Amino acid sequence: MKKVSSKQVMMYVVLLGILLLVGVYFLVYKSYTDQAATIETSNVVLNRRVAELKEYYDNMEGYNAEIELMQAEIRNVLGQFPPDVLEEDMIVLALDTMKNAAVEYTNINIGDREALRNIPAETVQAAGMEELNLELVFVERKGVYVNDTVYQSLKECINTINNSDNRLAITNIAYSRNDDTGELTGTIQVSFYTIIGTGREYEPQNLADYTSGLSELFGAVHRAEE
Protein backbone atom coordinates (compact mmCIF):
# COMPACT_ATOMS: atom_id res chain seq x y z
CA MET A 1 0.00 0.00 0.00
CA LYS A 2 1.33 3.34 -1.07
CA LYS A 3 2.23 5.60 1.80
CA VAL A 4 0.60 9.02 2.06
CA SER A 5 2.41 11.87 3.65
CA SER A 6 0.83 14.26 6.10
CA LYS A 7 1.20 17.00 3.51
CA GLN A 8 -0.86 14.96 1.05
CA VAL A 9 -3.47 14.28 3.72
CA MET A 10 -3.81 17.99 4.30
CA MET A 11 -4.19 18.51 0.57
CA TYR A 12 -6.95 15.91 0.46
CA VAL A 13 -8.67 17.53 3.41
CA VAL A 14 -8.50 20.95 1.78
CA LEU A 15 -9.76 19.51 -1.52
CA LEU A 16 -12.56 17.70 0.24
CA GLY A 17 -13.47 20.92 2.03
CA ILE A 18 -13.57 22.78 -1.25
CA LEU A 19 -15.77 20.07 -2.77
CA LEU A 20 -18.08 20.23 0.23
CA LEU A 21 -18.32 24.02 -0.05
CA VAL A 22 -19.15 23.76 -3.73
CA GLY A 23 -21.74 21.09 -2.95
CA VAL A 24 -23.23 23.23 -0.22
CA TYR A 25 -23.39 26.15 -2.63
CA PHE A 26 -25.20 24.23 -5.32
CA LEU A 27 -27.40 22.19 -3.01
CA VAL A 28 -28.27 24.81 -0.38
CA TYR A 29 -27.03 28.31 -1.05
CA LYS A 30 -28.07 28.33 -4.73
CA SER A 31 -31.50 26.99 -3.75
CA TYR A 32 -31.87 29.70 -1.10
CA THR A 33 -30.72 32.32 -3.57
CA ASP A 34 -33.31 31.22 -6.12
CA GLN A 35 -36.01 31.22 -3.47
CA ALA A 36 -34.92 34.65 -2.29
CA ALA A 37 -35.13 35.97 -5.85
CA THR A 38 -38.61 34.49 -6.20
CA ILE A 39 -39.67 35.99 -2.86
CA GLU A 40 -38.19 39.33 -3.82
CA THR A 41 -40.20 39.30 -7.05
CA SER A 42 -43.30 38.35 -5.09
CA ASN A 43 -42.57 41.06 -2.59
CA VAL A 44 -42.54 43.66 -5.35
CA VAL A 45 -46.06 42.59 -6.32
CA LEU A 46 -47.15 42.38 -2.68
CA ASN A 47 -45.63 45.75 -1.86
CA ARG A 48 -47.49 47.29 -4.77
CA ARG A 49 -50.71 45.67 -3.59
CA VAL A 50 -50.10 46.83 -0.01
CA ALA A 51 -49.53 50.36 -1.27
CA GLU A 52 -52.82 50.23 -3.16
CA LEU A 53 -54.66 48.90 -0.10
CA LYS A 54 -53.08 51.58 2.06
CA GLU A 55 -54.28 54.24 -0.38
CA TYR A 56 -57.79 52.76 -0.23
CA TYR A 57 -57.61 52.69 3.56
CA ASP A 58 -56.37 56.28 3.80
CA ASN A 59 -59.25 57.41 1.56
CA MET A 60 -61.87 55.09 3.06
CA GLU A 61 -63.96 57.92 4.48
CA GLY A 62 -64.22 59.58 1.09
CA TYR A 63 -65.01 56.28 -0.61
CA ASN A 64 -67.78 55.53 1.90
CA ALA A 65 -69.28 58.97 1.29
CA GLU A 66 -69.25 58.36 -2.47
CA ILE A 67 -70.85 54.94 -1.97
CA GLU A 68 -73.62 56.47 0.13
CA LEU A 69 -74.25 59.09 -2.55
CA MET A 70 -74.38 56.38 -5.19
CA GLN A 71 -76.82 54.31 -3.14
CA ALA A 72 -79.02 57.37 -2.56
CA GLU A 73 -79.07 58.04 -6.29
CA ILE A 74 -80.00 54.42 -7.00
CA ARG A 75 -82.88 54.66 -4.51
CA ASN A 76 -83.99 57.93 -6.09
CA VAL A 77 -84.07 56.45 -9.59
CA LEU A 78 -85.83 53.25 -8.52
CA GLY A 79 -88.32 55.27 -6.47
CA GLN A 80 -89.52 57.03 -9.62
CA PHE A 81 -90.81 53.75 -11.07
CA PRO A 82 -93.79 51.85 -9.64
CA PRO A 83 -93.32 48.14 -8.88
CA ASP A 84 -96.14 47.25 -11.29
CA VAL A 85 -98.83 48.72 -13.58
CA LEU A 86 -102.29 47.14 -13.53
CA GLU A 87 -105.28 47.61 -15.78
CA GLU A 88 -106.89 50.06 -13.37
CA ASP A 89 -103.87 52.36 -13.61
CA MET A 90 -104.32 52.59 -17.36
CA ILE A 91 -108.07 53.16 -17.07
CA VAL A 92 -107.60 55.85 -14.43
CA LEU A 93 -105.38 57.72 -16.89
CA ALA A 94 -108.30 57.80 -19.32
CA LEU A 95 -110.62 59.05 -16.59
CA ASP A 96 -108.16 61.80 -15.71
CA THR A 97 -108.12 63.02 -19.31
CA MET A 98 -111.92 63.07 -19.37
CA LYS A 99 -111.89 65.45 -16.39
CA ASN A 100 -109.93 68.04 -18.35
CA ALA A 101 -111.03 67.47 -21.95
CA ALA A 102 -114.05 66.45 -24.00
CA VAL A 103 -112.89 62.99 -25.02
CA GLU A 104 -115.10 60.04 -25.89
CA TYR A 105 -113.30 56.71 -25.60
CA THR A 106 -114.58 53.92 -27.82
CA ASN A 107 -111.93 51.37 -26.84
CA ILE A 108 -108.87 50.94 -24.65
CA ASN A 109 -106.46 48.19 -25.66
CA ILE A 110 -104.24 47.10 -22.78
CA GLY A 111 -101.11 45.15 -23.69
CA ASP A 112 -99.10 42.59 -21.77
CA ARG A 113 -95.97 43.33 -19.80
CA GLU A 114 -92.79 43.31 -21.88
CA ALA A 115 -89.33 43.09 -20.31
CA LEU A 116 -86.99 45.70 -21.77
CA ARG A 117 -83.81 45.11 -19.79
CA ASN A 118 -82.63 43.30 -16.70
CA ILE A 119 -79.84 43.69 -14.15
CA PRO A 120 -78.64 40.32 -12.76
CA ALA A 121 -79.05 39.65 -9.05
CA GLU A 122 -75.26 39.38 -8.56
CA THR A 123 -74.78 42.91 -9.91
CA VAL A 124 -77.63 44.23 -7.78
CA GLN A 125 -76.23 42.62 -4.63
CA ALA A 126 -72.80 44.12 -5.33
CA ALA A 127 -74.32 47.56 -4.69
CA GLY A 128 -74.44 46.60 -1.00
CA MET A 129 -78.02 47.78 -0.40
CA GLU A 130 -79.92 45.63 2.08
CA GLU A 131 -83.30 46.05 0.38
CA LEU A 132 -82.00 45.05 -3.06
CA ASN A 133 -81.05 41.41 -3.57
CA LEU A 134 -83.17 40.30 -6.52
CA GLU A 135 -82.83 40.70 -10.26
CA LEU A 136 -84.17 44.06 -11.46
CA VAL A 137 -86.37 43.93 -14.57
CA PHE A 138 -87.39 47.08 -16.46
CA VAL A 139 -90.87 46.50 -17.89
CA GLU A 140 -92.99 48.31 -20.46
CA ARG A 141 -96.77 47.96 -20.75
CA LYS A 142 -98.59 49.67 -23.60
CA GLY A 143 -102.09 51.04 -23.70
CA VAL A 144 -103.80 52.21 -26.88
CA TYR A 145 -106.60 54.73 -26.28
CA VAL A 146 -109.11 54.87 -29.15
CA ASN A 147 -111.25 58.01 -28.96
CA ASP A 148 -113.24 60.74 -30.64
CA THR A 149 -112.52 64.35 -29.77
CA VAL A 150 -111.87 67.82 -31.14
CA TYR A 151 -108.56 69.56 -31.68
CA GLN A 152 -108.53 71.70 -28.54
CA SER A 153 -109.59 68.78 -26.35
CA LEU A 154 -106.92 66.60 -27.96
CA LYS A 155 -104.25 69.09 -26.87
CA GLU A 156 -105.68 69.15 -23.35
CA CYS A 157 -105.79 65.35 -23.31
CA ILE A 158 -102.12 65.12 -24.34
CA ASN A 159 -101.18 67.71 -21.73
CA THR A 160 -102.95 65.71 -19.00
CA ILE A 161 -101.10 62.54 -20.01
CA ASN A 162 -97.74 64.31 -20.05
CA ASN A 163 -98.38 65.71 -16.56
CA SER A 164 -99.38 62.33 -15.12
CA ASP A 165 -97.65 61.12 -11.96
CA ASN A 166 -97.14 57.75 -13.63
CA ARG A 167 -93.84 56.87 -15.27
CA LEU A 168 -95.05 56.90 -18.87
CA ALA A 169 -94.53 58.34 -22.34
CA ILE A 170 -96.70 58.91 -25.39
CA THR A 171 -95.16 56.71 -28.07
CA ASN A 172 -97.59 57.28 -30.94
CA ILE A 173 -100.49 59.54 -31.94
CA ALA A 174 -102.61 58.93 -35.05
CA TYR A 175 -105.82 60.86 -35.90
CA SER A 176 -108.01 61.53 -38.88
CA ARG A 177 -110.57 64.33 -39.29
CA ASN A 178 -114.25 63.83 -40.06
CA ASP A 179 -114.98 66.63 -42.52
CA ASP A 180 -118.73 66.38 -41.91
CA THR A 181 -118.59 66.84 -38.12
CA GLY A 182 -115.20 68.48 -37.71
CA GLU A 183 -114.29 65.86 -35.08
CA LEU A 184 -111.07 63.87 -34.80
CA THR A 185 -111.01 60.09 -34.55
CA GLY A 186 -107.83 58.24 -33.67
CA THR A 187 -105.57 56.70 -31.08
CA ILE A 188 -103.00 57.69 -28.49
CA GLN A 189 -100.49 54.98 -27.60
CA VAL A 190 -98.99 55.31 -24.12
CA SER A 191 -96.15 53.22 -22.67
CA PHE A 192 -96.14 52.70 -18.90
CA TYR A 193 -92.78 51.80 -17.33
CA THR A 194 -92.16 49.84 -14.14
CA ILE A 195 -89.30 48.06 -12.37
CA ILE A 196 -89.85 44.62 -10.89
CA GLY A 197 -87.57 43.39 -8.10
CA THR A 198 -87.23 46.48 -5.92
CA GLY A 199 -89.01 44.84 -2.99
CA ARG A 200 -91.64 47.57 -2.92
CA GLU A 201 -95.34 46.66 -2.92
CA TYR A 202 -97.85 47.85 -5.50
CA GLU A 203 -100.12 50.63 -4.25
CA PRO A 204 -103.70 50.25 -5.55
CA GLN A 205 -105.43 53.22 -7.15
CA ASN A 206 -107.72 55.27 -4.94
CA LEU A 207 -110.95 55.22 -6.96
CA ALA A 208 -113.09 57.04 -4.40
CA ASP A 209 -113.13 60.23 -6.49
CA TYR A 210 -114.11 58.48 -9.72
CA THR A 211 -117.65 57.71 -10.83
CA SER A 212 -118.05 54.00 -11.42
CA GLY A 213 -119.85 52.38 -14.33
CA LEU A 214 -118.89 51.61 -17.91
CA SER A 215 -121.21 54.28 -19.27
CA GLU A 216 -119.08 56.92 -17.61
CA LEU A 217 -115.99 55.81 -19.55
CA PHE A 218 -117.35 54.63 -22.88
CA GLY A 219 -120.62 56.56 -23.00
CA ALA A 220 -121.36 59.83 -24.78
CA VAL A 221 -119.86 63.05 -23.45
CA HIS A 222 -120.81 66.66 -23.91
CA ARG A 223 -118.19 68.34 -26.04
CA ALA A 224 -116.87 71.73 -25.17
CA GLU A 225 -117.39 74.43 -27.74
CA GLU A 226 -114.37 75.10 -29.89
Side-chain angles (χ1 to χ4, degrees), residues 41-209:
T41 302
S42 300
N43 285 342
V44 171
V45 177
L46 291 174
N47 288 336
R48 187 182 301 117
R49 182 57 178 162
V50 168
E52 292 175 354
L53 292 175
K54 184 178 184 303
E55 181 180 356
Y56 293 148
Y57 178 81
D58 293 340
N59 294 280
M60 185 63 68
E61 185 176 346
Y63 292 145
N64 286 335
E66 291 180 3
I67 290 172
E68 290 177 2
L69 287 175
M70 177 198 68
Q71 292 176 339
E73 183 61 23
I74 291 174
R75 290 188 178 96
N76 177 55
V77 172
L78 294 180
Q80 298 178 29
F81 292 84
D84 198 2
V85 170
L86 302 185
E87 289 77 5
E88 50 261 42
D89 299 304
M90 307 177 85
I91 292 174
V92 163
L93 181 65
L95 296 175
D96 287 337
T97 61
M98 292 174 65
K99 288 182 177 180
N100 302 316
V103 181
E104 181 180 341
Y105 289 100
T106 58
N107 197 359
I108 299 177
N109 299 315
I110 298 176
D112 294 328
R113 297 169 182 80
E114 180 181 353
L116 298 179
R117 183 170 297 181
N118 72 300
I119 300 178
E122 312 86 73
T123 303
V124 173
Q125 294 165 6
M129 301 169 66
E130 184 177 354
E131 71 271 25
L132 296 179
N133 50 46
L134 302 175
E135 176 187 45
L136 293 179
V137 183
F138 291 77
V139 176
E140 177 186 27
R141 193 171 190 184
K142 295 179 180 178
V144 179
Y145 298 84
V146 184
N147 60 84
D148 297 322
T149 187
V150 293
Y151 179 68
Q152 183 60 37
S153 289
L154 176 58
K155 292 198 299 182
E156 294 172 354
C157 177
I158 293 173
N159 186 57
T160 299
I161 294 173
N162 287 334
N163 291 329
S164 171
D165 292 334
N166 294 299
R167 200 65 175 174
L168 52 77
I170 296 176
T171 50
N172 187 55
I173 297 177
Y175 279 86
S176 60
R177 179 182 176 87
N178 185 323
D179 292 332
D180 294 332
T181 64
E183 295 179 350
L184 299 175
T185 299
T187 61
I188 300 177
Q189 179 176 289
V190 180
S191 290
F192 293 76
Y193 299 100
T194 67
I195 298 180
I196 297 175
T198 62
R200 294 162 51 210
E201 295 184 1
Y202 170 80
E203 296 182 9
Q205 287 283 348
N206 182 5
L207 303 177
D209 296 333

